[in-house]
Amino acid sequence: MIVIPIWNKNMILSLVVPTPIESKEIRSEIHPAPGDEFKTIFEGELHDTHVIFTHCGVGKVNAAHSATLMLENYDVDVLILFGIGGAYPDSSLKVGDIAIADSENYGEEGVLTKNGWSPMEYTGFPLLKNKKEYYNTFALDAKLGQIAVRASKDCGFHTIQGNFMTVSQCSGTRKWGIVMKERFHGLCENMEGAAAAHICAMYGVPMIEVRGISNMIGGTC
């Protein structure tokens, strides 16, 4: 388990994870321990810090829904999304390593033209306009990301920080993984992160995303 040191014990941390299989260890550390229900929000203490916890379910809509429930109903200081992800070819990651997000990127939103795929800028329509325009990319909190990297390395994990890709269709071949990786210089992919980052940008709440690498995308195909 990774413990992210937070300098202010009065902070409220929102912990969001897609499925119970990804949260078993950390749930055992929260008091009182949360159950394995989906969409139920639990409150408790983790290392003397007030946390609210939920399983959001798999996919972008589920992640956005749960993040919205959290931020509408609690005075959250930091949202932490965690779970597993697939590492892209030549990412320098292997199974069991930790990836920390610099940014989250919608990997498929855009336009497929005769010249290939183009991101949302091609349409002229931002996905969010909130002090700034967001198209496919949502930057995560740099300071908190660095804290997460240090904590992970202190726990003995090989840890890399970089751009994450959020997809609806997981990359099942090396060839397609390389296509997705090259769109935003991605490190790994998941199915929830950009949607949670999108909601956090709406509410002005900083976010950290931590992924344990569960698989390498593709083999030789």
Side-chain angles (χ1 to χ4, degrees), residues 60 86-89 105-110 112 117 136 163-190 217:
K60 290 179 278 191
Y88 286 124
N105 300 270
Y106 284 108
E108 294 152 330
E109 279 72 0
L112 188 60
W117 181 85
N136 291 65
N163 301 327
F164 284 18
M165 300 284 287
T166 297
V167 298
S168 297
Q169 173 183 276
C170 293
S171 301
T173 67
R174 179 181 177 86
K175 181 178 179 181
W176 188 250
I178 290 172
V179 169
M180 297 305 295
K181 173 185 177 180
E182 290 179 349
R183 288 184 176 178
F184 293 99
H185 306 290
L187 189 63
C188 63
E189 73 178 31
N190 66 88
I217 290 172

Side-chain angles (χ1 to χ4, degrees), residues 2 7-8 17 24 34 50-51 54 59 68 81 87 100 121 123 143 150 159 174 179 218:
I2 298 173
W7 53 90
N8 182 354
V17 58
K24 184 177 179 180
H50 184 195
V51 298
T54 195
T68 301
L81 175 66
I100 309 290
E121 282 91 342
T123 71
K143 182 178 179 180
R150 290 198 300 270
T159 306
R174 179 181 177 86
V179 169

Side-chain angles (χ1 to χ4, degrees), residues 38 46 49 58 61 71 92 110 121-122 139 154 176 189 196 208 218:
F38 286 88
L46 177 65
T49 299
V58 173
V61 171
L71 301 186
S92 299
E121 282 91 342
Y122 183 90
D154 287 346
W176 188 250
E189 73 178 31
I208 306 170

Side-chain angles (χ1 to χ4, degrees), residues 27-43:
R27 278 189 285 132
S28 70
E29 298 289 332
I30 298 172
H31 304 286
D36 60 3
E37 298 92 336
F38 286 88
K39 299 298 184 183
T40 299
I41 296 176
F42 299 90
E43 291 190 69

